[in-house]
Amino acid sequence: MKVLYFAWVRERIGLPREDIETNAATVAELVTELRAREERYDLAFSDMDVVRVALDQELSELGASLVGVREVAFFPPVTGG
Amino acid sequence: MKVLYFAWVRERIGLPREDIETNAATVAELVTELRAREERYDLAFSDMDVVRVALDQELSELGASLVGVREVAFFPPVTGG
Amino acid sequence: MSVSVQLEDFDVGAEITALSAGRTDIGAVVTFTGLVRSTAGGQDISDMELEHYPGMTEKSLAKIEAEASTRWSLQASRIIHRYGKLLPGAKIVMVATASPHRGDAFESAEFIMDYLKSRAPFWKKEGTAGGGKWVDARDADEEALDRWD
Amino acid sequence: MSVSVQLEDFDVGAEITALSAGRTDIGAVVTFTGLVRSTAGGQDISDMELEHYPGMTEKSLAKIEAEASTRWSLQASRIIHRYGKLLPGAKIVMVATASPHRGDAFESAEFIMDYLKSRAPFWKKEGTAGGGKWVDARDADEEALDRWD
C-alpha cells in the first residue's frame, strides 16, 4: 500500500511517501501500527484531531476501511486559497 | 432654473435640457406647471410613478422644496450596471 | 478609491495590477464585470446604448464607493462604467475591491453593484429589430438593496 | 470549466477574456484573486511556500467546480492555484465564474473559494525570522461552509 505524507506530517515522519505492507483493516489500525514502529510516527500521529486522511485521493475518516485501497495520505487540515 | 431630461423622458419632451423661469415651490408644482404648458410635457409626466427626480444631482422626491435649487433633473428609474 | 465614466473599453487584469501595485498588505481582490448580452427576454439585441447624467454619475459612484469603505475593511476599490453604444459581448461595467480578507472583498463588491444598479444615473436602450427599446428597471434590483439595510 | 495547478503566475484579464471569448450570452463575470500578504498575525512574512497533493488537488478542484455548476446557472468557470515559493504581493489563487446574472456569478465564486479553502489539499508554510511556520487552519474557514448546506 502506498502511503503519502504532506506538510508537517511529512516533516515529522521524514519522508514524503513509502510503500507499506500491512494487514490493517482500517485507517485507525494502520495509524496504531505505524505509531508502534518508530518514534517519528508516534510523534506525527500523537494528536489525530489535527490529522486528516485521504483514501485513493478522497477525503475520508479514521474509521474507514482499507479494503481495496491503494493509496493512503495523511496531512494536516488544509490551508490553501 | 436649469431643467434636465434623460432617457425616454428626454425623448418625449424632445430636448435634453432647458432653462425655465418658475415660481414653483416644490417639484410637484413644477411638474404641474410643465404639464399645463404643452402636450409633450403632459405625456412625459403622465405617470409620475415611473419618473425619478434629482435636485442638484442628488436623488430626491416629488414633494421636495425647490428653494435654492439650481438644477432639476427628471428621468426614468435607472438601469445601468 | 477611484471612479471612471468613459467611452473606452478597459482591462480588468491591468486594473487589478494597478490596485495592488507596490503593496503587500492586500489578501483578496474581487472583481465584477458586466457584459452586453445578445438576447434579452427572448429578443435579439443588436447593440446597447448607454446614457448617463454627467456630473451626477461620478458623484453617485463616488458616494457608493465611500459608503462601502465605511462598511467593510477596504484597502482599495475601483469602479469603471462605460457609456455610448456597445455591441454584444462588450464590457459595460467593472467593480474591483481589495481587502485583507475575502469576505469583505466579496461583500463590498456585491454591495457596490447592487447600489450602482439602483442608484447610479445610467439608462440602457436596447437595439432590436423593432427599433430602440428603453430597458425597464427590475423590481429584483430594487429589492436587492434591502439586504444591506 | 477548467482547473490548473501551476508554478507560474497568471493574468486575470486574459482569463476573463478567454472565458468569454466568442460568446455573447454571458452577462456577469466575477473573479476572486488571493495574494500573499507580508504580515500574518503581526509577524513579518518573507515568503510563502505552498505544498499540494498532485492528483488529488486537481480532482478536488474539478469536483468543487462541478458542484458549483449544479447549484448555479454557470456558463463558464476557471480555477487556477499556484504552488511552490511565492513572495509577498504574489498571486496565489484565482477563481472566475461567468453567468447570465450577477447573483449567480457572485455566489458561485464565493462557494468555490469557501470549499477550496477547506477541502482542496494545499498547505501553506510562512517564512518568518524564526524560520518556516506551517499555517494553522482557521475555524472560520470551516464554518464558512455551513451556509452552503
Side-chain angles (χ1 to χ4, degrees), chain A residues 7 10-11 58 71 76 79 81, chain D residues 51 53 122-125 134:
Chain A
R10 170 179 56 72
E11 288 180 342
E58 293 278 348
E71 184 173 308
T79 56
Chain D
E51 181 172 336
Y53 183 172
F122 288 97
W123 301 274
K124 282 179 182 148
K125 191 178 197 173
W134 291 101

Side-chain angles (χ1 to χ4, degrees), chain B residues 4-8 10-11 54 56-59 71-73 75-81, chain C residues 51-53 55-56 59 63 81 93 116-125 134-135 137:
Chain B
L4 287 74
Y5 311 109
F6 292 97
W8 59 253
R10 170 179 57 72
E11 289 179 342
D56 290 332
Q57 308 192 352
E58 293 277 350
L59 284 173
E71 183 173 308
V72 180
F75 44 76
V78 305
T79 56
Chain C
E51 181 171 337
H52 78 111
Y53 183 172
M56 180 172 168
K59 272 188 220 170
K63 203 167 142 185
H81 203 303
V93 60
L116 186 159
K117 282 255 175 195
S118 289
R119 294 291 181 265
F122 288 98
W123 301 274
K124 283 180 182 146
K125 191 178 198 174
W134 291 102
V135 174

Side-chain angles (χ1 to χ4, degrees), chain B residues 9-25:
Chain B
V9 177
R10 170 179 57 72
E11 289 179 342
R12 288 189 192 171
I13 290 173
L15 79 182
R17 59 198 300 158
E18 60 187 323
D19 284 306
I20 288 179
E21 293 291 328
T22 179
N23 293 316

Side-chain angles (χ1 to χ4, degrees), chain C residues 16-51:
Chain C
I16 294 178
T17 302
L19 270 194
S20 53
R23 50 195 299 179
T24 55
D25 56 339
I26 294 174
V29 176
V30 167
T31 70
F32 173 89
T33 308
L35 305 162
V36 180
R37 296 167 63 196
S38 57
T39 58
Q43 203 162 27
D44 285 346
I45 305 299
S46 57
D47 60 74
M48 172 88 82
E49 181 90 33
L50 269 144
E51 181 171 337

Side-chain angles (χ1 to χ4, degrees), chain A residues 4-8 10-11 54 56-59 71 73 75-81, chain D residues 51-53 55-56 59 63 81 93 116-120 122-125 134-135 137:
Chain A
L4 286 75
Y5 310 110
F6 292 97
W8 57 254
R10 170 179 56 72
E11 288 180 342
D56 290 332
Q57 307 193 351
E58 293 278 348
L59 284 173
E71 184 173 308
F75 44 78
V78 304
T79 56
Chain D
E51 181 172 336
H52 79 110
Y53 183 172
M56 179 170 167
K59 271 188 221 172
K63 204 167 141 183
H81 204 302
V93 61
L116 187 159
K117 281 258 178 195
S118 290
R119 295 291 182 267
F122 288 97
W123 301 274
K124 282 179 182 148
K125 191 178 197 173
W134 291 101
V135 173

Side-chain angles (χ1 to χ4, degrees), chain A residues 3-68:
Chain A
V3 184
L4 286 75
Y5 310 110
F6 292 97
W8 57 254
V9 176
R10 170 179 56 72
E11 288 180 342
R12 286 188 193 172
I13 290 174
L15 79 184
R17 60 198 299 158
E18 59 187 323
D19 285 306
I20 287 179
E21 293 292 326
T22 179
N23 292 317
T26 65
V27 176
E29 281 181 34
L30 175 62
V31 169
T32 304
E33 210 176 282
L34 289 168
R35 293 187 69 174
R37 259 168 66 161
E38 281 181 59
E39 202 182 333
R40 58 196 171 104
Y41 292 99
D42 194 38
L43 177 70
F45 296 132
S46 61
D47 180 4
M48 289 304 290
D49 282 351
V50 290
V51 176
R52 300 288 176 267
V53 63
L55 301 183
D56 290 332
Q57 307 193 351
E58 293 278 348
L59 284 173
S60 190
E61 304 287 338
L62 268 187
S65 163
L66 290 178
V67 175

